[in-house]
């Protein structure tokens, strides 16, 4: 994370309203950001593969282990790792394994529900951003999850573009009237 330079984020195609994906990030223009996001993707895929590689009877224990790791990541304010783990646990390949999720410990159900609430994609990860912002305000170190920050930058750039476009249209109308 520390290797990601601000210019790598600023060189992204921010004026597009579509979601940023790994395909949008150039390994040459934003090499460290590309590596970070690719690492997050690989971590999620590895977790899914690891859980699926176990027998049905063992999957619940592996799932519980990753719920614990996600919670510890959250407590350590490593939002990048926490999100990557939760992304894996929400993967459709795992979601269809009803027996696996039924076999998690009853004590971990509220933990999982809390992690789901925090990492929910709703409103551009509103809960996750609030959690990060609260810790940043307290001047605590964090490893942020960058996607919502990049999307917020996209929104700002789009708003500026729209305002400039509206101003240009207004100027053109004024010139035609004058």
């Amino acid at each position: 994370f520390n290797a990601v330079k601000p210019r790598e984020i600023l060189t992204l195609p921010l004026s597009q309203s579509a979601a940023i994906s790994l395909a949008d990030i150039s390994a040459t223009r934003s090499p460290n950001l590309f590596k970070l996001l690719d690492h997050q993707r690989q971590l999620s895929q590895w977790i899914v593969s690891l859980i699926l590689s176990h027998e049905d009877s063992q999957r619940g224990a592996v799932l519980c282990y990753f719920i614990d790791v996600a919670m510890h990541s959250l407590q350590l304010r490593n939002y990048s790792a926490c999100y990557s783990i939760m992304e894996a646990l929400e993967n459709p390949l795992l979601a269809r394994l009803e027996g696996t999720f039924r076999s998690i410990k009853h004590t971990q159900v509220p933990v999982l529900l809390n992690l789901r609430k925090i990492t929910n994609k709703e409103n551009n990860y509103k809960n996750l951003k609030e959690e990060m912002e609260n810790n940043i305000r307290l001047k605590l170190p964090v490893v942020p999850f960058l996607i919502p920050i990049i999307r917020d930058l996209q929104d700002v750039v789009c708003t500026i573009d729209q305002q400039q476009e509206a101003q240009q249209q207004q100027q053109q109308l004024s010139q035609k009237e004058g």
Side-chain angles (χ1 to χ4, degrees):
F1 165 74
N2 284 334
V4 177
K5 306 292 182 230
R7 69 174 158 31
E8 293 186 52
I9 295 172
L10 296 173
T11 60
L12 294 174
L14 294 175
S15 61
Q16 298 174 356
S17 60
I20 288 286
S21 69
L22 196 56
D24 297 322
I25 299 169
S26 166
T28 54
R29 286 175 48 194
S30 304
N32 298 308
L33 182 60
F34 182 86
K35 287 177 193 173
L36 175 69
L37 296 177
D38 189 46
H39 175 74
Q40 288 176 326
R41 181 190 58 77
Q42 288 177 4
L43 176 61
S44 290
Q45 289 177 343
W46 174 76
I47 292 168
V48 170
S49 297
L50 187 66
I51 293 170
L52 292 174
S53 71
H54 284 79
E55 296 294 322
D56 291 348
S57 60
Q58 297 173 324
R59 284 186 186 146
V62 178
L63 187 63
C64 287
Y65 171 79
F66 281 110
I67 292 169
D68 284 342
V69 174
M71 191 61 196
H72 286 295
S73 296
L74 182 64
Q75 291 167 346
L76 292 170
R77 297 176 301 279
N78 185 341
Y79 301 104
S80 178
C82 179
Y83 182 79
S84 294
I85 294 166
M86 289 307 296
E87 184 177 49
L89 299 184
E90 298 298 320
N91 186 293
L93 292 173
L94 297 182
R96 67 181 176 80
L97 301 173
E98 294 174 19
T100 300
F101 280 91
R102 276 194 229 126
S103 66
I104 66 172
K105 298 175 193 168
H106 292 293
T107 56
Q108 287 196 296
V109 172
V111 174
L112 179 61
L113 293 175
N114 183 50
L115 287 165
R116 282 179 173 165
K117 179 182 171 192
I118 290 171
T119 59
N120 189 307
K121 294 179 181 182
E122 212 170 89
N123 295 323
N124 190 24
Y125 306 93
K126 179 181 180 271
N127 296 335
L128 190 60
K129 287 192 305 188
E130 285 176 1
E131 180 86 19
M132 286 190 298
E133 288 168 5
N134 289 338
N135 285 299
I136 290 169
R137 245 184 251 110
L138 295 171
K139 300 191 186 305
L140 296 172
V142 301
V143 178
F145 175 53
L146 290 177
I147 294 298
I149 296 167
I150 293 169
R151 287 187 181 152
D152 284 347
L153 283 172
Q154 275 184 305
D155 291 345
V156 168
V157 169
C158 285
T159 300
I160 291 169
D161 288 349
Q162 290 170 353
Q163 288 174 345
Q164 288 175 342
E165 196 173 296
Q167 286 175 345
Q168 288 173 349
Q169 289 174 352
Q170 185 65 34
Q171 287 174 350
Q172 289 172 351
L173 284 173
S174 297
Q175 289 173 354
K176 287 180 182 179
E177 291 174 358

